């Protein structure tokens, strides 16, 4: 019954490129997600890999703090989403005194790992809230 969250903010990856990678691992087992990310060719897979590893470590620390047993094989990616961060605006000089705007986009990535019991409790709470 452990749920852990890991976030990275203002990472220099565009949100659309990061979403392609996050969509690969949503709903998968945590160790399987690490294996997928390790061999994914996208550039955004490295920071997402580190984020999933951090979420696993957070779950381990949380389980130790509450004195409960945690099997890392039980953890799965219950939520994974990417939000747009701030955009850095830069200018590049062009011909005849003009300036060309460069938008350096950032994103905020959030990964939530949970055990199957947590997912069942969350679904039941969501159903009760809708009624």
């Amino acid at each position: 019954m452990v749920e852990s969250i890991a976030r990275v903010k203002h990472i220099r990856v565009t949100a659309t490129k990061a979403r392609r990678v996050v969509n690969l691992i949503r709903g998968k087992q945590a160790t399987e997600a690490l294996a997928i990310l390790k061999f994914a060719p996208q550039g955004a897979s490295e920071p997402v890999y580190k984020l999933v590893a951090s979420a696993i470590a957070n779950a381990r620390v949380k389980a130790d703090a509450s004195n409960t047993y945690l099997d890392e094989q039980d953890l799965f990616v219950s939520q994974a989403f990417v939000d747009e961060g701030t955009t850095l605006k830069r200018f590049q000089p062009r011909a005849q005194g003009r300036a060309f705007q460069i938008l350096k986009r950032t994103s905020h990535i959030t990964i939530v790992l949970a055990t199957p019991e947590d997912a069942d409790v969350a679904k039941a709470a969501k159903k009760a809230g809708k009624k």
Side-chain angles (χ1 to χ4, degrees), residues 85-99:
T86 56
T87 300
L88 305 173
K89 293 176 179 154
R90 302 289 182 261
F91 290 98
Q92 182 177 13
R94 301 301 286 185
Q96 298 179 0
R98 293 185 181 94

Side-chain angles (χ1 to χ4, degrees):
M1 301 211 349
V2 175
E3 181 176 277
S4 67
I5 300 172
R7 283 190 188 99
V8 63
K9 292 188 173 191
H10 304 290
I11 190 159
R12 276 283 291 121
V13 175
T14 63
T16 53
K17 290 179 182 179
R19 283 186 190 115
R20 286 181 56 205
V21 174
V22 168
N23 288 340
L24 293 173
I25 63 166
R26 190 175 289 120
K28 300 260 193 301
Q29 187 181 8
T31 52
E32 182 184 352
L34 287 176
I36 291 169
L37 291 170
K38 188 171 188 173
F39 298 106
Q42 291 86 1
S45 62
E46 182 185 353
V48 175
Y49 178 91
K50 289 181 179 181
L51 196 62
V52 172
S54 176
I56 292 171
N58 291 347
R60 193 179 310 123
V61 169
K62 202 170 185 180
D64 287 345
S66 64
N67 206 12
T68 59
Y69 173 73
L70 173 70
D71 185 11
E72 292 179 10
Q73 300 296 323
D74 290 343
L75 291 173
F76 73 100
V77 181
S78 63
Q79 292 180 13
F81 52 91
V82 180
D83 298 323
E84 284 188 24
T86 56
T87 300
L88 305 173
K89 293 176 179 154
R90 302 289 182 261
F91 290 98
Q92 182 177 13
R94 301 301 286 185
Q96 298 179 0
R98 293 185 181 94
F100 180 73
Q101 189 176 26
I102 299 172
L103 300 177
K104 297 189 174 194
R105 300 182 189 275
T106 63
S107 58
H108 308 313
I109 306 171
T110 304
I111 303 287
V112 180
L113 299 182
T115 53
E117 304 91 42
D118 286 340
D120 296 340
V121 170
K123 284 180 184 177
K126 194 179 256 188
K127 273 188 178 179
K130 284 185 177 181
K131 289 182 182 179

